[in-house]
Amino acid sequence: MAVEIKVPALGESVTEATVAKWLVKAGDPVAIDQPLCELETDKVTVEVNATVAGTMADLAVVEGATVQVGGVLCHIEAGGAAPSVPADAAAAAAPPPKPTVAVPPAVHTAPAPVLAGVGPGANLAASGPAARKLADEKGVAESAIEPTGKDGRATKADVLAALQSVPTPSAAPVAKPAIPAGPRPRADREERVRMTRLRRTIANRLKEAQNTAAMLTTFNEVDMSSVMALRERLKEEFEKKHGARLGFMSFFVKACIAGLKELPAVNAEIEGDELVYKNYYDIGVAVGTPNGLVVPVLRDADVLGFGEIEKGIADLGRKARDGKLSIADLTGGTFTISNGGVYGSLMSTPILNPPQSGILGMHKIQQRPMVVGGEIKVRPMMYLALSYDHRIIDGREAVLFLVRVKECIEDPERLLLGI
């Protein structure tokens, strides 16, 4: 009996994903709970596992296809031998041909015309979900598709071929190509890689922040001497007790929360024509991964101790690097901290993480000569940057917030005493 493997629920408001990679092929034996494929959403990569043991009957969608929650990914013949793969399933499982012309976004308001020389057309009702979805989105009629699958069934490649053959109406706007027209003089020394869904989402969200928010950045610098001395003195005892290394991030999380409580606009967001002030403190911590920057969230950080913060950040960082973050781990932050200093950045202007109104940028600690008590002394200094949405936060509030963070870091006893 063939068992359908469907796209699982991917989280609140997430309705579709991209098939990033198939880990099996038709005819392969599979064990229960064996990973079958990787689905890439706007935020995370999710593995889909086999629900039964048996043999892969077919792959219903190809790599790179967009699938909906509940859609069929593949079929497993439970406990049986590998059945013969029908021609249309084999065509669906094969890598899609690389079109030589970029497919423009849908600009047609009516179904595509019947093409001369094309037969009776495709049977879309019996075709795979990927082909049906693409035909619906692009407005391609059944009669315009020359099917290559069994019994008149169309594949996604057939729909793409029909779409490229349809003449564009002269009145329709022409989409601007993403790639410059004409030959590239050094194309033989270039490599083209399709953007992942995560990278596209990062790009869109960062551009959205620039386009929407009235973004401004204010700077300050902080003397790290006291925190570094405290950390050096207590790091071994801290690790023995809490099972986590004492880093700088817990001090900055605590310092930011102190500033957010005093200046609630930095912890607010705009929703419609209202300002939403949040009386909770879910701190996002930016983490670099091989697939891009993600911002997992440390929930209710204001009630966590230093040990709980360090363990929480370490766990989130590990999950991010292993690709194990869930949608819940990445949503709902109220303020973000980004540490470019771990990569050697001396100064930067971080971009807001919408809909948040503030983000703190930490940077490299560098020994610099400073005037202390009328004398020049060498101190470990760090530049801090606060990017903020000027629609919500006034310059005075932004400066005072950063000064509050500076005071807490330079005199960490304030954090322990709550002053």
Side-chain angles (χ1 to χ4, degrees), residues 87 90 121 136 189 201 227 234 238-239 308 339 363 394 403 409:
D136 290 341
R189 299 178 65 181
T201 300
V227 165
L234 299 176
F238 184 91
E239 188 167 358
E308 294 170 310
N339 186 5
H363 298 92
D394 293 330
V403 168
I409 297 300

Side-chain angles (χ1 to χ4, degrees), residues 61-66 91-92 96-97 127-132 134-135 145 148 154-162 194:
V61 291
V62 297
E63 288 185 2
T66 298
S127 300
R132 293 198 305 270
L134 183 62
I145 303 172
T148 59
T155 67
K156 187 176 180 181
D158 297 334
V159 180
L160 287 172
R194 183 181 178 86

Side-chain angles (χ1 to χ4, degrees), residues 111-124 140-147 162:
V114 178
L115 302 180
V118 175
N123 182 2
L124 280 180
V140 182
E142 289 188 2
S143 57
I145 303 172
E146 186 172 2

Side-chain angles (χ1 to χ4, degrees), residues 19 22 24-26 57-67 72-75 85-97 126-132 147-150 153-160:
V19 180
W22 277 106
V24 294
K25 59 182 182 294
D58 65 68
L59 309 182
V61 291
V62 297
E63 288 185 2
T66 298
V67 291
V72 177
L73 290 168
C74 60
H75 296 86
V85 180
D88 56 333
S127 300
R132 293 198 305 270
T148 59
K150 187 178 179 180
R153 298 175 187 172
T155 67
K156 187 176 180 181
D158 297 334
V159 180
L160 287 172

